[in-house]
Amino acid sequence: MPSRTRRRDASAALPELAAAVVPQWERVAGAVADLPDGAFAAPSVLPGWTVGELVLHVGRSATALSLALAPFAADGPATAPVTAPRLVSAVDYLSGTGARAEAIADTARALAAQTGPAGTRAGLAGEVSAAAAALARVTDGDPVVATPGGPMLLTEFLRTRAVEAVVHGLDLGVEPLRPALKVVTRLFAELFVHRVPGHTVELRVPPFAAVQVVEGPRHTRGTPPNVVEAGPVAFVLLCAGRLAWGDAVADGRISASGERADLSGYLPLL
């Protein structure tokens, strides 16, 4: 059953999310533009994916936004013709990515087989530009849009686009911009609470998030007995399966104190 979608002030949230997602996509596209031709056929840090396939997938994530916003084209209707008694939240969407993973990979490989380095660079830049333009046409409210995961509020879908841009940007060696990293950190903290509800462990990701997770005794006063703290990039890498818990603890990117502070059994989230 889908979780309840959070309602927020769309007049503030939509511009803020757009200002986080679009520059992050543009940052990734800029880095890709500087890659030498030989880099596209090389293995990426994502097992089973080449760099070119990964870049094409990032482009597809931007295209998904353009398609969702097609009803807002200049010659289209003023509002999206999508109604649904239940909407998919960003947490629901991320929870369903596993079921779509093989199809996503197949699409990227098929595109890579017919697209050379120049086309891959130009394609990503064009898809990002088109998505930004489509987003700029939405000037009122928080409409419901059709997405690969089901009908969603546009703000919720944009949060998933931030995940794509930040995580795959990191896969490509691109450090995330602060606004996009903030969006993704908070969404992953929300996903953690959804997957591992409870109040036994305090999970801190300063300066963006602090939540309680894991079933067990509730902490109410004083210093929490079980605390996990991570920087935002390390937290994102951990949740996305790009960083192993043991490695992160060993090199200090994550600190964990308390008998129940080992969260390795709940990871990765994606």
Side-chain angles (χ1 to χ4, degrees):
M1 180 180 296
S3 62
R4 185 183 299 274
T5 298
R6 296 189 305 165
R7 298 283 175 171
R8 45 164 75 84
D9 181 1
S11 64
L14 186 55
E16 180 182 351
L17 284 165
V21 174
V22 172
Q24 179 63 28
W25 264 333
E26 291 173 341
R27 187 182 182 109
V28 175
V32 168
D34 292 334
L35 289 177
D37 287 357
F40 290 87
S44 74
V45 298
L46 193 59
W49 290 65
T50 66
V51 169
E53 290 165 354
L54 190 52
V55 170
L56 287 162
H57 172 66
V58 175
R60 292 285 296 175
S61 75
T63 298
L65 180 61
S66 296
L67 292 173
L69 295 175
F72 296 92
D75 57 350
T79 57
V82 181
T83 58
R86 277 192 176 274
L87 301 178
V88 176
S89 71
V91 166
D92 298 327
Y93 188 99
L94 294 183
S95 296
T97 54
R100 301 189 296 270
E102 194 57 40
I104 290 170
D106 287 345
T107 298
R109 293 182 186 116
L111 287 170
Q114 53 187 296
T115 310
T120 300
R121 293 189 197 93
L124 177 59
E127 287 161 323
V128 166
S129 178
L135 191 54
R137 287 193 289 267
V138 183
T139 58
D140 184 31
D142 189 8
V144 176
V145 295
T147 82
M152 302 178 71
L153 291 172
L154 176 55
T155 49
E156 290 294 293
F157 192 44
L158 274 177
R159 293 207 294 160
T160 72
R161 301 305 85 190
V163 170
E164 295 278 351
V166 167
V167 172
H168 293 314
L170 287 166
D171 289 338
L172 293 165
V174 180
E175 284 295 311
L177 295 168
R178 181 183 173 90
L181 182 59
K182 175 182 175 181
V183 171
V184 176
T185 298
R186 290 183 171 178
L187 178 52
F188 278 173
E190 190 178 329
L191 180 57
F192 222 117
V193 170
H194 176 76
R195 293 277 184 85
V196 195
H199 300 277
T200 297
V201 178
E202 184 160 298
L203 174 59
R204 302 171 179 170
V205 193
F208 300 138
V211 295
Q212 292 185 343
V213 295
V214 183
E215 289 185 356
R218 178 189 292 266
H219 169 73
T220 56
R221 299 177 62 185
T223 302
N226 301 283
V227 177
V228 172
E229 185 165 320
V233 170
F235 179 65
V236 167
L237 292 172
L238 193 73
C239 292
R242 272 59 167 180
L243 177 63
W245 173 269
D247 293 341
V249 171
D251 65 20
R253 279 182 283 179
I254 293 175
S255 64
S257 60
E259 293 182 356
R260 305 194 63 185
D262 185 348
L263 301 180
S264 59
Y266 308 112
L267 295 164
L269 295 182
L270 300 184

